Amino acid sequence: MMNGTPSLPAVPDTVILIAGKGSYPLELAQCARRQGVKRLFVVAFKGETDRQVAALADDSIWLRLGRLDELLAALAKTGIRHAVMAGQITPTSLFSVRFDARTLALLGRLPVKNAETIFGAIGGELRSIGVELLPAWMFMQSAMPAAGVLTRRVPSEAEKRDIALGIHVAKSTSGLDIGQTVTVKDGVILSVEAFEGTDAAIRRGGELSGPGLVVVKVAKLGHDVRFDIPVIGRRTLEVMRKVRASVLAVEAGRTLLLEREKLIRAAEDWSISIEAVDSGHEHFG
């Protein structure tokens, strides 16, 4: 078990970054460069990936979602043997994207379709062309806080009880492939994240609770560290501000806080307490 920064394989000289949307792929690319990656090949998706991510690459390719054959062909040509996935793909794309035959065949083999099964199957396809997926938090160790309160304000005793309840419930529901986030107030579970995502779950909880909502986000039980890692960025904090939430609790050593120091400063400005909580489960490593 690790109680601090997790250990990782040696940093490879060349890496493929399969980049979804949001600031996570951009921050990972910047961290990879600082840690010695000499050649970065970015796979970007039209309508999803921020163009700044591709600008950091030595080479890049823009694809439409659902074109697995094109993805594998492009990666095979690079000769690069390590890849990392970062960033979200719009959840409803599963129902609106026009898939190629290889993607349809892959999806057809999956009785249950969620992030773990879909990206796990894609990982198998990558392995078939000699590309291994690295952990999703590769290069991002400094973004994962150890246990403790990260802001000046410490959660009240009532908020601590809500955090404990939230951790228990979120761990249970994550094991059912429902979601990794719950919202709580005064011992009442107000929302559980479903297919709509973290921010929508927070909005639903805020509509029911009024001021003082406690938001809890954990890593899924039995997670696959190649792509299943909780991530908190400024957008989520802005949603919390709008619903006047008071506490964000994340799982210590298992959650990425994007632009960590800026995020903490914003939380201070908006009177939101952030605490990293040790759930008793092993940290990544």
Side-chain angles (χ1 to χ4, degrees):
M1 175 172 178
M2 291 201 62
N3 293 314
T5 302
S7 58
L8 279 169
V11 173
D13 288 338
T14 58
V15 171
I16 296 162
L17 170 57
I18 303 173
K21 67 180 183 179
S23 61
Y24 175 20
L26 180 61
E27 188 168 340
L28 188 146
Q30 293 167 336
C31 289
R33 288 299 199 190
R34 287 196 293 268
Q35 292 179 37
V37 171
K38 295 181 177 63
R39 182 185 174 206
L40 184 65
F41 184 96
V42 167
V43 177
F45 296 98
K46 296 173 183 178
E48 300 281 343
T49 309
D50 189 323
R51 290 194 171 276
Q52 292 182 74
V53 182
L56 289 175
D58 297 290
D59 299 289
S60 63
I61 184 171
W62 286 86
L63 300 175
R64 293 192 182 278
L65 290 174
R67 317 307 291 177
L68 185 56
D69 255 333
E70 292 178 34
L71 170 66
L72 296 175
L75 297 192
K77 289 178 182 177
T78 68
I80 301 174
R81 293 293 171 250
H82 295 94
V84 60
M85 291 183 178
Q88 291 182 319
I89 297 297
T90 303
T92 52
S93 295
L94 190 61
F95 303 108
S96 60
V97 167
R98 194 170 177 179
F99 298 113
D100 65 11
R102 188 161 187 166
T103 307
L104 286 171
L106 180 148
L107 293 173
R109 295 193 296 269
L110 303 176
V112 176
K113 297 174 182 64
N114 55 38
E116 181 176 0
T117 60
I118 293 170
F119 290 117
I122 291 172
E125 295 284 343
L126 293 176
R127 196 159 48 249
S128 74
I129 61 168
V131 176
E132 287 295 328
L133 279 177
L134 297 169
W137 42 276
M138 185 80 181
F139 313 112
M140 299 283 288
Q141 303 94 304
S142 63
M144 291 192 293
V149 178
L150 306 181
T151 49
R152 286 191 296 272
R153 186 177 81 78
V154 176
S156 68
E157 289 304 314
E159 289 169 337
K160 288 178 182 178
R161 290 192 292 271
D162 284 346
I163 289 170
L165 174 61
I167 291 283
H168 171 71
V169 172
K171 278 293 181 184
S172 300
T173 58
S174 75
L176 298 172
D177 291 326
I178 295 173
Q180 299 169 310
T181 304
V182 300
T183 67
V184 195
K185 185 178 178 183
D186 295 336
V188 178
I189 300 296
L190 294 165
S191 66
V192 177
E193 179 186 357
F195 196 64
E196 82 279 38
T198 298
D199 295 350
I202 294 171
R203 291 188 194 98
R204 285 194 286 117
E207 288 170 0
L208 294 168
S209 73
L213 188 70
V214 172
V215 177
V216 178
K217 190 173 183 73
V218 302
K220 177 184 173 183
L221 287 172
H223 60 273
D224 188 323
V225 300
R226 296 173 301 169
F227 40 74
D228 186 13
I229 181 169
V231 178
I232 296 289
R234 184 181 177 92
R235 185 178 62 184
T236 293
L237 206 67
E238 288 173 344
V239 173
M240 290 183 63
R241 180 193 186 189
K242 288 178 181 176
V243 302
R244 294 177 291 172
S246 60
V247 176
L248 170 64
V250 298
E251 193 169 358
R254 298 162 71 90
T255 307
L256 292 178
L257 299 183
L258 300 180
E259 296 184 295
R260 175 175 168 170
E261 297 309 316
K262 290 181 180 179
L263 197 73
I264 292 170
R265 286 198 297 271
E268 298 276 13
D269 291 342
W270 299 338
S271 301
I272 297 172
S273 177
I274 301 179
E275 181 172 7
V277 181
D278 195 334
S279 69
H281 294 266
E282 289 189 1
H283 295 182
F284 293 140

